[in-house]
Amino acid sequence: MPKDIDVFPDFQRGELTFPAIPLYQYDGDVTSEMASGLSRTEALKMLEYMLTIRNFEETIVKLKNGKFEPLAQYKFIGATHLSIGQEAVAIGAMSALNADDYITSTHRGHGHSIAKGAYALEKASPEYLMEFVAGDGDPADPRGLLDCAIQEHLNRTMAELFGKEEGYCRGRGGGMHIADFHSGHLGANAIVGGSYAIAAGAALAASKLGDGKTCLCFVGDGATNNGISHEAYNFAAMAQFKEGCPVIFLVENNQYGMTGQERGEVTGVEHLARRGAGYNEDNMHAEVVNGMDVLAVRDAVSRAAELCRSGEGPVLLECMTYRYMGHSLSDTRETYRSKEEEEAWQKRDAIKTFATALAKAGVASKDEIRLMRDIARERIERATMYAYSATDPDPSTIYEGLLADTTSDEIDPKWATPKEALHAEPIQQNRDGQGRILYRHAVIEALQDEMLRDKRVILYGEDVADYGGAFQATKGLFEVFGRERVFNTAISEAAIIGTAAGASMAGLRPVVELMYIDFILMTMDQLGNQAAKNRYMFGGKAKLPMVLRTTIGGGKGYAGQHSQSLEAVATMFPGLKVIAPSTAYDVKGLLKAAIRDDNPVVFIEHQHCYTNTDAVPAEDYTIPIGQARIGREGTDITVVAYSWMYYQALEAAEMAAEEGISVELVDPRTLRPLDVDMIAASVDKTKHLVVVQQAPSVGCYGEHIAYAVQDRCFDAMKRPARIVAAHDVPPPMAAPLENENLPSPEKILRNIKEVLGR
Ligand SMILES: Cc1ncc(C[n+]2csc(CCOP(=O)(O)OP(=O)(O)O)c2C)c(N)n1
Ligand SMILES: [Mg+2]
């Protein structure tokens, strides 16, 4: 049915106009805020935590320079991106969010982490605090208990910077990758702009789950020019999200990327907030905020969170601030900025001005402020000594935290999709007399089963909705589940994967589609640096139950950019599982297992297999990820082939049989983790190995299979393994060239015979 969106313009003369973007509109102060509800305690907390962040960062400077006296000899390794000068942004923003709202952060994120954790603890229950301090506090003394919890929070933060087991991420992440899932901190990101889509995805999850949460995405000014910012802004602003996408993009504009300046140098705009006008009719509610005024930031973020909660997100805030130190401690700043400029900003120092305002309003005396400074110093000293004497991770635990060993096989019935939520009767696949259906229908059946079973499973990607996907492998699901669960995205491959990663960290189980695996190269940061790493880097604490479905093509004259077999681009990342089934039976069982797995899975379908048929039980079944299957038993040689190449190898095996050669054909089905045991057992028996794959020979996954098996079976093998691959060229278009390029049954047979010396 055609969409009901009218795309025919009226061609009338006119002009496009945009609502104005407010600049520095806040005109409150301590007195006015207190008159409208800010308590004295809250006001003092803001100063206390700004002082805590400042002292934390100054301690890193001292540690690095050998000037932290108790540890003068200590060698502080790791990055030193400090946020001295920017404290009002972190504190203003976090004081405005709810305890369970999400944030994502940046390489300059110590302040964000301290602020988020502290405010989450401020708002936590005594039971939670007792658990957080592992029984160290006294529930009868709430102030003491909170103090204890704040100290514990600072200890864990500092311990992470020291790379210790007690750190928030067990020393796997360090200062640039702190995450704290207790407090909704979904992780700092050392890839500039890397968290844009993660944040939009977490907000998508909050909106779909209806849990009322908002996600605030801290990004630097430099990050706003990275491609993912555009994709994420657009994703969050899509008109089809009738409930809005509750994400606040907070640009912490400290005036410099590393040394490049957004204003006047590397962009053409005065204010990055202006970009909001490009994404939706209300400019994403963009505004420019004085980031040196903690109350102005608090006001702006409170309003932004309110907009998000009332279904009007996303929001874009640009907070003007300044980093006093260099980009890192190795940057002396002299080549790109003047002392006068630094002094001008320091005159507006957020801590000094807020302390003065508190004193002037009679909220805190000078002595009280001095005392707060001392308390901050003492807390950070304790945290530093704690971190120093905390435990170094044991090298034998290096794999801990890489993959989750859990699934959603057993789920609470509350997650089942209620019948009333369906927009149409579920699809029944037509089976022939032998129970066979198409490979593409097995995809649909698996998706539908899992979506019925668990309403956290949603499906999105390019053209997957009304059109049913470029290869019709999602056909009908939009009609059954509606736009809430099945929707089209813009052509934004990086955002598709990044949002899926973020959504999976925030409670959804998204399945997303990339039309061709060739387009995976558009997503490398989101797949390789974010989805693959976010569990390990954050100490094994995150779960990312997401599935990226994609397809391999080839053999259709589509040439270099639509015919590649790029599975090795996914298998190279620890933290991902990769599946490439050849039969419809395996598609159904493995796709269901992938959706239930709590790890990110890349699920590779093959365009040539979509119309193959196979007996596929209509009942629910899963196939364990990581188990190969013997497709044909044999005794002379083992051939390993997956995806479409399985069929080329099968034909070769049949031809070989006519020449008296008995081939054992193994389909690994899962590439990562690879079932080396089954392949090795076969090779121990046959003593010969040929690996077949569609990708070119250099840097291919077949090299890994050959290596892993030879490493186990060297003594049993009579000849080295042979890889039958495409030529080392991009896929050509012309049929004679493409035919020459793809491994054919004849070519496979020739190699089998060579390996056997026949
Ligand atoms: C994708 C990417 N490109 C470059 C870098 C190197 N780098 C680290 S921080 C930084 C500057 C980032 O500027 P901004 O986003 O304004 O954040 P700020 O450092 O000012 O807090 C650069 C270029 C990186 N980490 N990631
Ligand atoms: Mg910057």
Side-chain angles (χ1 to χ4, degrees), residues 107-108 190-192 220-223 226 254 256-258 262 323 327:
H107 59 284
R108 200 175 301 289
I191 301 297
V192 171
D221 47 291
N226 212 311
N254 62 9
Y256 293 91
M258 209 161 112
E262 280 20 90
R323 66 163 154 74
H327 167 69

Side-chain angles (χ1 to χ4, degrees), residues 581-751:
S582 59
T583 69
Y585 178 85
D586 287 349
V587 161
K588 178 168 169 184
L590 282 164
L591 182 52
K592 286 162 74 76
I595 293 170
R596 296 182 196 183
D597 199 281
D598 280 338
N599 297 287
V601 180
V602 178
F603 193 88
I604 305 171
E605 296 155 24
H606 202 293
Q607 291 161 29
H608 289 331
C609 298
Y610 276 133
T611 47
N612 288 355
T613 55
D614 203 4
V616 177
E619 296 74 42
D620 174 42
Y621 67 94
T622 57
I623 296 172
I625 296 174
Q627 268 185 20
R629 103 189 140 84
I630 306 278
R632 179 189 166 105
E633 291 191 2
T635 50
D636 295 333
I637 187 164
T638 301
V639 175
V640 176
Y642 50 89
S643 194
W644 181 45
M645 285 298 124
Y646 173 79
Y647 298 98
Q648 311 309 302
L650 189 61
E651 228 179 295
E654 279 155 12
M655 286 153 63
E658 284 170 20
E659 298 188 32
I661 299 169
S662 167
V663 171
E664 179 140 297
L665 179 56
V666 183
D667 179 353
R669 306 194 286 192
T670 302
L671 304 185
R672 215 184 217 277
L674 182 68
D675 189 351
V676 181
D677 287 347
M678 184 181 284
I679 306 171
S682 172
V683 173
D684 278 337
K685 179 177 75 178
T686 65
K687 315 206 181 313
H688 300 92
L689 173 64
V690 165
V691 181
V692 185
Q693 45 135 50
Q694 190 180 330
S697 53
V698 178
C700 59
Y701 190 65
E703 288 184 334
H704 172 69
I705 300 177
Y707 165 75
V709 176
Q710 286 183 150
D711 195 42
R712 287 269 287 274
C713 306
F714 188 72
D715 290 341
M717 289 174 75
K718 292 198 173 151
R719 294 276 172 94
R722 171 75 58 90
I723 296 173
V724 185
H727 287 277
D728 206 18
V729 296
M733 185 266 166
L737 294 176
E738 189 168 31
N739 291 341
E740 167 59 27
N741 194 38
L742 288 167
S744 60
E746 293 72 23
K747 190 167 170 183
I748 297 166
L749 178 62
R750 206 161 57 239
N751 279 278

Side-chain angles (χ1 to χ4, degrees), residues 21 268-279 283 286 288 316 318:
I21 293 179
V269 294
E270 279 281 289
H271 290 289
L272 299 164
R274 181 189 174 113
R275 303 255 171 93
Y279 294 96
N283 296 347
V288 181
L316 174 61
E318 179 183 11

Side-chain angles (χ1 to χ4, degrees), residues 59-329:
T59 302
I60 307 297
V61 180
K62 287 190 201 153
L63 277 165
K64 193 79 184 172
N65 298 338
K67 300 229 166 84
F68 182 75
E69 275 174 20
L71 301 176
Q73 301 307 316
Y74 180 72
K75 270 217 150 348
F76 182 87
I77 59 163
T80 51
H81 302 113
L82 307 178
S83 60
I84 300 177
Q86 303 180 201
E87 298 86 351
V89 179
I91 295 300
M94 292 307 99
S95 67
L97 290 189
N98 288 341
D100 61 356
D101 283 334
Y102 296 117
I103 69 161
T104 62
S105 165
T106 71
H107 59 284
R108 200 175 301 289
H110 306 157
H112 308 149
S113 175
I114 290 172
K116 178 62 172 131
Y119 276 102
L121 293 171
E122 286 280 342
K123 294 165 188 169
S125 66
E127 296 73 40
Y128 177 82
L129 293 182
M130 279 304 285
E131 190 193 315
F132 188 76
V133 299
D136 241 7
D138 176 4
D141 169 16
R143 265 223 66 80
L145 179 56
L146 179 63
D147 270 358
C148 217
I150 297 287
Q151 185 66 54
E152 173 69 20
H153 166 52
L154 296 169
N155 291 355
R156 292 188 196 184
T157 308
M158 191 63 96
E160 190 54 39
L161 268 72
F162 277 58
K164 297 298 180 86
E165 193 61 42
E166 290 85 344
Y168 270 120
C169 308
R170 301 185 61 200
R172 268 74 172 163
M176 289 202 293
H177 306 106
I178 294 186
D180 167 13
F181 296 96
H182 285 96
S183 74
H185 183 343
L186 298 180
N189 218 306
I191 301 297
V192 171
S195 62
Y196 259 109
I198 304 280
L204 173 73
S207 152
K208 297 278 174 208
L209 295 169
D211 57 21
K213 296 181 188 176
T214 289
C215 182
L216 184 140
C217 173
F218 284 110
V219 284
D221 47 291
T224 61
N225 302 314
N226 212 311
I228 190 66
S229 74
H230 164 67
E231 292 196 15
Y233 287 155
N234 186 65
F235 185 97
M238 286 194 290
Q240 66 182 329
F241 291 155
K242 301 285 183 228
E243 307 291 310
C245 183
V247 58
I248 304 167
F249 296 110
L250 189 154
V251 180
E252 201 167 6
N253 187 345
N254 62 9
Q255 315 306 318
Y256 293 91
M258 209 161 112
T259 65
Q261 274 176 297
E262 280 20 90
R263 187 182 211 168
E265 188 180 10
V266 305
T267 78
V269 294
E270 279 281 289
H271 290 289
L272 299 164
R274 181 189 174 113
R275 303 255 171 93
Y279 294 96
N280 65 18
E281 299 296 323
D282 50 23
N283 296 347
M284 292 168 75
H285 310 281
E287 57 179 284
V288 181
V289 180
N290 178 358
M292 301 306 266
D293 179 349
V294 68
L295 295 176
V297 177
R298 182 172 176 275
D299 165 72
V301 174
S302 306
R303 287 184 289 105
E306 201 41 56
L307 283 168
C308 286
R309 286 186 223 294
S310 58
E312 295 189 53
V315 178
L316 174 61
L317 299 177
E318 179 183 11
C319 295
M320 301 303 258
T321 182
Y322 200 71
R323 66 163 154 74
Y324 294 176
M325 310 295 293
H327 167 69
S328 67
L329 289 179

